[in-house]
Amino acid sequence: MLNFYAEQLAQLQQQGQYRTLPDIRHQGKHIWRDGRKMLNFSSNDYLGLASDNSLKQQFFAQTDVGEMALTSSSSRLLTGNFPIYAELESVMASQFQREACLLFNSGYHANIGILPTLADKQTLILADKLVHASLIDGIRLSEADYQRYRHNDYAHLQQLLEKNSKTYQRIIIVTESVFSMDGDTTDLWQLVALKQQYRHVMLYVDEAHALGVFGQNGLGLAEKCGCIEQIDFLVGTFGKALAAMGAYVVCDQVIKDYLINKMRPLIFSTALSPLVVQWVYFLMQHLPQMQTQRQHLQQLSTQLQLGVQQLTQQVMPSRSQIVPYILGDNASTVASAERLQQRGFYCLPIRPPTVPSGTSRIRFSLTADMTADEVAQLLDVLKGSQ
Ligand SMILES: *Cc1c(COP(=O)(O)O)cnc(C)c1O
């Protein structure tokens, strides 16, 4: 019986798509692998907070860790509802200046839970072609019909809205604000303008790569664009720039109440560790003061975007800290990543089916604890490989 699985795996190996868990060690912004110390250009720790030991020490100094629960031992609906969850939700609701905020165990939980709860058979989901796997899974789990619009193609979205607006009681537009493979951004005002043409269209935005990075207070691209209020379901995650675990939706109170009553990944899963939520609370309070890190990250991003663009002579899609270096075919992408690793830069090749075929790439992600010199060194090595 197990033969079946072994053969499937062998097939993956043949296609060069076999996955294994890498044996790595972390040391600040560096990573050790195969006895090699490399600067981590594949991290989601965009503000450099996860590797900031002084910040951790500050947190531990002001938190009575011995008294804190490491586990909630239960769903929040049963005995797992610790006061720190509601405190964080209340602080976040006021930071975002919205009625309500609700926490989840992860972005994956949020995205596979919210859409199936809110979207029934009378709902149509219109999702950007490139949304994250967790959103795709959420769409699949829901009973709603769905269609994909071409990536960031608002004219296409408008056509789909016009064509379907009379057929459905509700339509939910689903997008990310910063896309994970090209680092390009969504024009949130375009989506808000489209949504506002209809009484029954709602907007769902996933800010996983934007929380902490964009906006005066680090609340994400919606803050930068000044349209937090117009987004019905504003989702973000704590696992990336926030150096923690978990996720949230910022929404109206009625939506929060509805999710508490109906959302299965919220009802049937043990809530986050209270200690981790305390850490998120600490970080959310410090987030507005991290403008220096955000500006530095922005400078590094522009530097790398321009450098890669000069090198490839291709249009650079990125407007963020995620910068793709698109080589096209698998073999040269893998070879280039290997070469960069030998030179001390931990960069990973991304191949189909993760990205469209013919667009294999190295996906650089920058963190605020890097220096302009380090980015320049990376660009020098890239130029040498041309
Ligand atoms: C990382 C990511 C998620 C998943 O969040 P986790 O908290 O890691 O489960 C969801 N959406 C997007 C766009 C992401 O990049």
Side-chain angles (χ1 to χ4, degrees), residues 44 46 104-111 130-135 175-180 206-209 235-240 244-247 322 363:
N44 295 325
Y46 302 129
F104 308 107
N105 290 357
S106 72
Y108 191 81
H109 277 82
N111 286 340
L130 295 188
V131 292
H132 190 259
S134 56
L135 286 163
T175 188
E176 282 165 45
S177 60
V178 173
F179 282 85
S180 61
D206 180 342
E207 296 247 50
H209 297 286
V235 171
T237 64
F238 301 131
K240 293 184 171 115
M245 292 287 294
I322 298 168
R363 173 185 178 277

Side-chain angles (χ1 to χ4, degrees), residues 149-349:
Y149 59 92
R150 286 189 295 272
H151 177 51
N152 274 347
D153 185 339
Y154 310 113
H156 187 209
L157 175 59
Q158 180 160 29
Q159 279 169 18
L160 292 175
L161 282 169
E162 271 166 29
K163 200 167 115 206
N164 293 290
S165 69
K166 297 218 167 60
T167 318
Y168 293 92
Q169 289 180 5
R170 283 165 293 282
I171 298 181
I172 305 179
I173 302 170
V174 177
T175 188
E176 282 165 45
S177 60
V178 173
F179 282 85
S180 61
M181 288 301 141
D182 283 322
D184 56 337
T185 54
T186 299
D187 186 341
L188 293 174
W189 268 116
Q190 288 255 16
L191 294 184
V192 167
L194 278 177
K195 161 196 126 124
Q196 286 177 338
Q197 291 173 16
Y198 301 90
R199 185 190 40 79
H200 63 320
V201 175
M202 295 179 282
L203 183 53
Y204 185 123
V205 177
D206 180 342
E207 296 247 50
H209 297 286
L211 178 72
V213 176
F214 291 98
Q216 191 65 33
N217 296 296
L219 300 179
L221 201 64
E223 184 193 20
K224 185 178 175 198
C225 300
C227 62
I228 291 176
E229 208 186 310
Q230 284 78 16
I231 296 171
D232 301 270
F233 318 112
L234 187 57
V235 171
T237 64
F238 301 131
K240 293 184 171 115
L242 258 280
M245 292 287 294
Y248 62 89
V249 64
V250 167
C251 59
D252 289 350
Q253 183 64 38
V254 62
I255 295 295
K256 174 172 176 171
D257 294 339
Y258 195 81
L259 293 172
I260 290 172
N261 277 274
K262 304 243 183 195
M263 181 171 151
R264 297 172 68 87
L266 178 75
I267 299 172
F268 296 109
S269 185
T270 299
L272 287 166
S273 161
L275 180 62
V276 168
V277 178
Q278 190 80 50
W279 167 239
V280 175
Y281 186 93
F282 171 85
L283 291 173
M284 284 306 295
Q285 287 190 314
H286 284 76
L287 200 55
Q289 289 105 56
M290 295 179 181
Q291 199 61 8
T292 317
Q293 285 97 318
R294 280 189 280 278
Q295 274 163 5
H296 179 61
L297 184 60
Q298 165 82 55
Q299 278 163 8
L300 297 180
S301 304
T302 309
Q303 183 189 357
L304 187 59
Q305 288 160 13
L306 290 175
V308 171
Q309 180 170 356
Q310 265 176 3
L311 202 65
T312 59
Q313 300 290 319
Q314 293 164 0
V315 178
M316 169 51 68
S318 171
R319 294 288 175 273
S320 70
Q321 73 283 4
I322 298 168
V323 180
Y325 172 44
I326 300 175
L327 291 107
D329 69 295
N330 287 357
S332 51
T333 305
V334 171
S336 182
E338 175 55 31
R339 189 168 171 282
L340 285 162
Q341 290 188 19
Q342 279 168 8
R343 301 292 296 270
F345 302 98
Y346 192 58
C347 307
L348 298 174

Side-chain angles (χ1 to χ4, degrees), residues 72-82 266-269:
S72 66
S73 301
S74 173
S75 161
R76 285 180 74 186
L77 282 103
L78 300 173
T79 59
N81 197 24
F82 286 65
L266 178 75
I267 299 172
F268 296 109
S269 185

